[in-house]
Amino acid sequence: MSSTNVLSMTESDSFLDKKSTSTDSSDEEKRETWDSPRTFVLVLLGYAVGLGNVWRFPYLCYTYGGGAFLIPYFFFVVVAGIPMFFLEIALGQFTKLSAIEVWKIAPCMKGIGYGCALVNGFCGIYYITVLAWSCLYLFHSVMPGDLPWTTCDNWWNTPNCTSGLISAGANLSAAMEVAVNSTATPMTPLAAVTSSIVSNRAAMPAAEFWKHYVLRQSSGLDEVGSFENWPMILAFLVSWIFIYFCVFKGVASSGKIVYISATAPYLMLLVLFIRGMTLPGAFKGIAYLFRPDFQKLAMSETWVNAGSQIFYTYGICFTVLFAFGSYNPKNNNCYKQAIALVFSGSATSLFSSFVIFSILGHLSHTQGIKMEDVADQGTCIST
């Protein structure tokens, strides 16, 4: 085979698929860039705040050993999170190609790009659903009058609805006193009486608003349901329209909106943290979250979930980081940014855990029930 043919094959197989005479300046003219490194950092910070941080990490932490779960978690942060996070950003920055086109570096694996794009499409559907829930709550928050999730006189409430946490706790305490006086004997453990009361405890209006108004779940897959939940349909459409106006001009529009979308979640978490830590029983929830159980470290399931949580926390292997990195100048120092953002994502997970379990501890304290009965529904702990 002649050297000319070899050179021709080399040029045709190049993942950049550009002529050798092209310069770096001409390459960057064909691809938009972020306004500044600060914009890129804010984009990744906003990308790091998601369901994996706020919902999944706290649940895994108290399920698999509390504070002991942090050992395998930070182990996988070092051996997997940092290298893969940096690799995806650096590869996107170097090639300046999209999440699909970047796989020209290994043509036989180009299907990974299309597969990840399909997965991202499915993820976008349920993330938009969560955004629609937020829009619905925001709409009711700005409407005049009482918040609908604080009262029990709405059409979706049940007879078990008890308005106010203090009222619910008082009712449970009174019921417990009656039960102890009437049924408890020296041979009857108080724990059994308490368990009997908890199984029939009053329902909070916030929980009923969530279950019977927002979700309106059908009995199963065999029952499709109806379109009567028009508030959610409208919130869903508004969410999609909002997303469109955030990205329809590419980096130019999303780079500006990120100053709000990336900082607002942290501001809200800070407000909830301050409020949660001032509630009675908050430290009970924090202690429950980080109570170490080192026996869980002997379970393979603990290590599997710790490893998988890395992908949820940092969003690696979704090819999104390729796209974000491709809008960086080629001389951008993405290594320092990757290190800082990895630990920022982990700090966000821990901070979210403090926020959620301070409130759960308050619920346990006010209603007089155990933490296991408050936070026993996995990702539904947000309710």
Side-chain angles (χ1 to χ4, degrees):
M1 182 179 295
S2 64
S3 59
T4 304
N5 292 336
V6 172
L7 179 61
S8 177
M9 291 178 61
T10 303
E11 291 179 352
S12 62
D13 290 340
S14 172
F15 64 89
L16 292 176
D17 200 23
K18 297 174 183 175
K19 295 181 180 180
S20 58
T21 58
S22 63
T23 62
D24 289 344
S25 60
S26 62
D27 291 345
E28 295 193 3
E29 289 176 359
K30 297 178 181 179
R31 188 75 169 177
E32 294 180 284
T33 59
W34 302 111
D35 294 338
S36 64
R38 181 176 60 253
T39 303
F40 174 64
V41 170
L42 287 175
V43 167
L44 291 184
L45 279 178
Y47 179 62
V49 182
L51 303 181
N53 302 86
V54 180
W55 280 354
R56 195 172 188 270
F57 179 83
Y59 169 64
L60 293 178
C61 199
Y62 82 78
T63 302
Y64 296 104
F69 179 78
L70 298 179
I71 296 176
Y73 174 75
F74 281 108
F75 170 79
F76 285 110
V77 167
V78 174
V79 302
I82 295 176
M84 297 184 71
F85 193 84
F86 170 65
L87 174 65
E88 293 193 19
I89 294 177
L91 195 57
Q93 180 174 311
F94 174 70
T95 61
K96 300 190 73 66
L97 297 174
S98 66
I100 295 178
E101 294 298 316
V102 72
W103 289 101
K104 288 182 178 180
I105 193 172
C108 63
M109 296 183 179
K110 195 173 182 179
I112 296 177
Y114 290 103
C116 290
L118 182 62
V119 170
N120 286 329
F122 285 116
C123 290
I125 294 175
Y126 76 77
Y127 270 96
I128 290 295
T129 302
V130 175
L131 182 59
W133 293 340
S134 303
C135 290
L136 190 61
Y137 274 89
L138 178 62
F139 171 78
H140 286 289
S141 298
V142 299
M143 294 297 291
D146 295 332
L147 296 174
W149 53 82
T150 60
T151 59
C152 291
D153 55 354
N154 306 287
W155 62 263
W156 59 80
N157 293 121
T158 65
N160 293 329
C161 181
T162 303
S163 180
L165 292 176
I166 298 178
S167 298
N171 291 344
L172 284 174
S173 299
M176 183 179 295
E177 182 179 357
V178 172
V180 169
N181 293 334
S182 60
T183 63
T185 64
M187 300 300 294
T188 303
L190 182 59
V193 179
T194 305
S195 177
S196 175
I197 298 171
V198 167
S199 63
N200 298 290
R201 66 179 182 268
M204 294 185 297
E208 293 198 344
F209 176 83
W210 167 254
K211 295 178 181 178
H212 306 314
Y213 178 78
V214 177
L215 295 183
R216 304 191 197 184
Q217 291 176 306
S218 61
S219 59
L221 294 176
D222 56 323
E223 182 182 349
V224 179
S226 63
F227 288 94
E228 294 180 356
N229 195 358
W230 59 265
M232 267 301 302
I233 297 175
L234 292 178
F236 193 76
L237 294 176
V238 169
S239 300
W240 274 114
I241 294 173
F242 178 77
I243 292 297
Y244 170 77
F245 282 106
C246 287
V247 301
F248 80 111
K249 286 188 177 181
V251 174
S253 59
S254 59
K256 292 180 176 61
I257 199 69
V258 74
Y259 282 87
I260 300 175
S261 62
T263 56
Y266 286 95
L267 179 61
M268 289 186 287
L269 283 175
L270 178 61
V271 172
L272 291 174
F273 172 76
I274 296 174
R275 174 56 178 163
M277 296 303 293
T278 58
L279 296 173
F283 290 98
K284 177 182 178 181
I286 301 299
Y288 180 84
L289 172 63
F290 293 106
R291 182 180 58 194
D293 184 2
F294 294 103
Q295 294 181 353
K296 294 291 183 68
L297 295 179
M299 299 169 51
S300 60
E301 187 178 358
T302 301
W303 293 82
V304 170
N305 281 282
S308 63
Q309 178 59 27
I310 300 300
F311 297 87
Y312 284 92
T313 300
Y314 307 127
I316 52 181
C317 294
F318 282 92
T319 68
V320 176
L321 296 175
F322 288 126
F324 287 160
S326 67
Y327 296 111
N328 280 331
K330 284 191 175 181
N331 60 352
N332 178 63
N333 190 349
C334 60
Y335 175 72
K336 290 184 178 180
Q337 292 172 338
I339 297 295
L341 289 166
V342 163
F343 286 103
S344 297
S346 297
T348 302
S349 298
L350 292 172
F351 188 58
S352 301
S353 301
F354 276 91
V355 173
I356 289 178
F357 275 85
S358 63
I359 298 175
L360 292 179
H362 174 62
L363 294 178
S364 174
H365 173 79
T366 307
Q367 295 189 0
I369 58 180
K370 296 181 179 179
M371 281 293 300
E372 292 83 355
D373 296 318
V374 176
D376 61 351
Q377 297 297 324
T379 54
C380 291
I381 59 177
S382 61
T383 60

